[in-house]
Amino acid sequence: MAPLEEYRRKRRFNETPEPTGAAGKSKAAKKKTAKKRAAKALSFVVQKHDASRLHYDFRLELDGVLKSWAVPKGPSFDTHEKRLAVEVEDHPLDYAGFEGIIPPGQYGSGTVIVWDRGTWTPLGDPHESLAAGKLKFELEGEKLRGGWTLVRMRARGGEANNWLLIKEKDDEVRPLSEYDVLDDRPESVLSGRTIDETAASPGRVWNSNREENAEPAAKKRAAGTKKSATRKATAKKSPAKKTAASKGAAKKKTATKNKVKSASAAKSAPAKKSSRSRSAEEAAVPEAKKAAFLKGVEPQLATLVADVPADPDRLYEIKFDGYRLVAYVRDGSARLVTRNGLDWTARFRELATALGQLSVESAVLDGEAVALDEQGASRFELLQAALREKNSKNLVFYAFDLLYLDGYDLRGAALVDRKQALERVLAGKEKSRVRYVEHVVGDGVAFVESARRLGLEGAISKRPDAPYRGGRVGDWLKIKHSLREEFVIGGFTESTAVRRGVKAILVGSHDEQGDLIYSGKVGTGFDQAALDDLRERLMARQAEASPFANLDRNPVKEKTVWVRPELVAQVAYSNRTTDGLLRHPSFQGLREDKPAEKVTFERAKNAASAGGKKGARKTSSAPPRLATSSAGSDNAKANGKRHRAMTDDDVAELEGVTFTNPERVLYPEQGITKFALAKYYVEVADWVLPHVVNRPLSLVRCPQGAEGKCFFQKHAGAAVPDALLRLDIKEGEEPYLATKNLAGLLSLVQIGVLEIHIWGCRIDDLERPDRVVFDLDPDPSVGWPRVAEAARDFRQRLTDLGLVSFLKTTGGKGLHVVVPLDRRRGWEDVKAFAKALCERVRDDAPSQFTTKMSKAGRTGKIFLDYLRNDRGATFIAPYSTRSKSGAPVSTPIAWEELDAGARSDSFHVGNVADRLSALKRDPWEAMQETRQSLTAAMLKQVGAET
């Protein structure tokens, strides 16, 4: 029998949307296709199929077809769950993309979604294994991973099609009582919809046999439904949305809020089948008017305000840091236009393609093109880099308004109605290139504060009942956290050949009279690619005279090349001087979506006068300080910790430490300068000093910042600041370094130290450590839950020995379990104890842990590093930064915080001080009072007798 003969015999392809499997291909063509696929990884797919009974179709690619089994109960990560898998007919490879509804009366009638997909690797010859009735393989899917086995059951009544699908024992195993992947991850990896949502929305899924699929535009939309879905991870709303949403929900009393609630309900409720066209459906939107397609729209703009509106009915959205674009979608294609009418479709080709694949005939969407960092926040500098490299494949279009849809102009409708329609259009695209901008209602103060803590640029507040009106009319307000503005470039100062002739750019903005007012020099934030591009553009615009009207009051001493004021730069900065000059400015990129003559200094207004209501609560439009909460300050006093909010001038005078090059950017992505890092250590001084004072130190120095060259410094060397101590530890060796106060700590910042590593002993007794540190260092493939569980295991083992332990993040991927000790034993005993306990943990689960430093043996495992407890070895100090992107900080946490979801990458320079100010007590408060020692009985119990 031909490979797909049984499959085709059971189906009537003029009545079912299932793929035919390319029946018309010649044998030669099929052989060529199979050869091409053989060179690639083999694919697998699991389809959830709600037929006469709900089941899961498990399919493995082999020999140009999908070998298939029906698994009634679905797969499980529990090794004790042996799931029946009934072998069925082979399916064509293109069936792997099928998601839709098989009509009643057809074979297998019911709804099908692509529940999981990925690649599989047979362990051994798959043909021999299938013939023998035992196929072992590994899966790399979006939900299923690790080792699995299909085992044929003994044949009964001459049938041999019943198998068992069993999870192999490996790092991916999870008890069913702890995790049921079927319940926890019910959604399609293609569309993001559940099987019920797919059944309720048949028009949004791929149907291979529809006549309109022959039309080019419809083909695009059909392909889009298949291709637009990205890897589906469990969706988690940002804390900003959760915090504000939970509080705002209690206030939804007005009619407008009820509309919002209805909109949210519409998203989760199954849609009713209807024969109405989309245009007829949208006609039900109040104030929607039948109209010709919109050809040009003036975008609505937000007014900058310094306070949060008091109106409890307003909507709040995250403010993005990207390019504002209006998308004109028609007949399967899209055109992207900036707010000033420039056609940028070619620059955002992939986004235009994704928008063209929306299931609409025509639409106009207002939104923003952004590049996201690892935390999911938009970053303009990343967007600039992507455009400079002409690579927009990882960009996202966030849509926050819908102005036109399938023959109807929606601009006269209320915002809440427009957003409800937009949400329907973008349903199931939460992880695609085109995404819907969520919002919350009311309690703007909580939303704005949550967005600030997440490091986002700010928030947008909108009237939910207002129509869409072009220009700055006051219905939309923006509240900024960080100071980022657009400035006109009027010149640059020259430098050496290393910087290709550009040392700093001179920038300004227009005043009310239209004069260009000088705002200062920007000399940081550039990478070499940006400098090359910038120099070429500037040299083409050279001018004889300064374009700045006030430069006589702010003279430029260095040699300057003047340019025509035509280029616009986006600049981040910390504040302005009394003369209006920028403090600590950092270049983020060129803005080509706004004409230079329209760049003015935007002063924040009062929300009430700008469009909000009276009684608005104040919030700062300045960048967040590292300690801003009055409640946090009270807590800091309560727990005895000093937590100071510093001004720029404070740091320069502290302990007599002078900072050279204070504006040098150490963490480019966050714009953190040397000066800002010094401020961070001042603010956390009472928390960090007890752990670093009077201990031998080793340092990681990065004079040019985290992205420059770094080196490890163990000895003092010739030139070190006077505030640091020199320790003669070993005869014949150079001295080591130590600090005795805040001045010494700040001196480390001055010499470019980004990591402070400490010994496990104090300088008054170098031979008796006062801490044992267990370093849990996971391989990148190890999931965070396993790391957290390993830390809990260590804690329990230590508790059983009678030892109290404390926890801190490393600022990397791991955790440190720390045991304070009375100084009664030497390094040999402490190291032996740590080694023995680590080896016990390893021996109990050798597939999960290793004590060998070799990278080759650490794949998929957690390295238990006991060597931190050797004389001369060090570990990262509590509250020290790391020389990694994101400015992470090694942070002490309470054990309860680990259970509550804290992760090793949760803390960084931008949020640690706020965290400390809000704590009621120090997570390590009890460490100073803990009195415990390693007894002979303990050493014997773990097998560490020395």
Side-chain angles (χ1 to χ4, degrees), residues 67-333:
K67 310 296 291 184
S68 300
W69 291 261
V71 185
K73 292 186 177 181
S76 170
F77 280 102
D78 193 327
T79 57
H80 299 95
E81 294 290 320
K82 297 175 175 60
R83 299 292 170 89
L84 175 65
V86 181
E87 188 174 11
V88 297
E89 73 276 10
D90 296 343
H91 282 54
L93 292 179
D94 49 356
Y95 203 97
F98 172 65
E99 185 168 287
I101 298 174
I102 302 174
Q106 301 303 306
Y107 177 77
S109 64
T111 307
V112 178
I113 64 171
V114 178
W115 181 79
D116 193 22
R117 63 179 177 180
T119 60
W120 76 286
T121 304
L123 303 180
D125 187 297
H127 304 90
E128 294 178 0
S129 298
L130 284 170
K134 189 172 185 179
L135 175 64
K136 286 181 172 288
F137 53 93
E138 291 183 345
L139 298 179
E140 283 289 333
E142 300 187 34
K143 298 176 184 177
L144 301 181
R145 303 178 70 84
W148 300 75
T149 300
L150 276 166
V151 182
R152 184 187 291 123
M153 300 173 67
R154 291 184 179 180
R156 294 181 181 179
E159 294 186 2
N161 62 343
N162 287 345
W163 298 62
L164 293 176
L165 177 63
I166 307 169
K167 181 73 186 74
E168 288 290 307
K169 293 182 179 180
D170 57 23
D171 294 342
E172 302 294 338
V173 170
R174 297 181 70 175
L176 187 60
S177 58
E178 173 189 308
Y179 179 67
D180 186 345
V181 67
L182 306 180
D183 289 341
D184 291 356
R185 300 293 307 278
E187 80 286 349
S188 160
V189 296
L190 280 185
S191 65
R193 293 189 298 275
T194 65
I195 199 162
D196 290 336
E197 291 169 338
T198 301
S201 304
R204 286 185 176 272
V205 297
W206 174 49
N207 282 283
S208 63
N209 67 336
R210 287 184 177 174
E211 290 183 6
E212 65 264 33
N213 285 347
E215 297 298 325
K219 270 187 176 180
K220 279 190 173 184
R221 291 197 296 277
T225 307
K226 292 169 66 180
K227 295 179 181 178
S228 65
T230 56
R231 184 181 180 90
K232 186 74 180 179
T234 302
K236 293 183 179 180
K237 289 187 177 180
S238 72
K241 294 174 185 175
K242 288 184 177 180
T243 302
S246 61
K247 294 181 179 179
K251 298 182 178 182
K252 295 182 181 178
K253 299 178 181 179
T254 65
T256 298
K257 289 182 181 179
N258 287 332
K259 283 187 178 182
V260 178
K261 190 183 293 185
S262 299
S264 299
K267 181 179 179 181
S268 57
K272 296 180 180 180
K273 294 182 180 180
S274 173
S275 60
R276 294 189 305 163
S277 68
R278 175 178 293 280
S279 61
E281 179 183 2
E282 297 311 324
V285 175
E287 305 302 325
K289 297 179 180 179
K290 193 167 183 62
F293 187 68
L294 304 180
K295 294 184 178 180
V297 172
E298 180 186 6
Q300 184 161 338
L301 304 177
T303 301
L304 180 65
V305 294
D307 46 9
V308 178
D311 187 347
D313 295 337
R314 293 183 73 94
L315 305 185
Y316 289 86
E317 300 170 345
I318 288 173
K319 186 180 187 304
F320 293 98
D321 193 10
Y323 276 127
R324 177 81 173 276
L325 296 171
V326 176
Y328 297 86
V329 182
R330 196 175 190 183
D331 295 333
S333 63

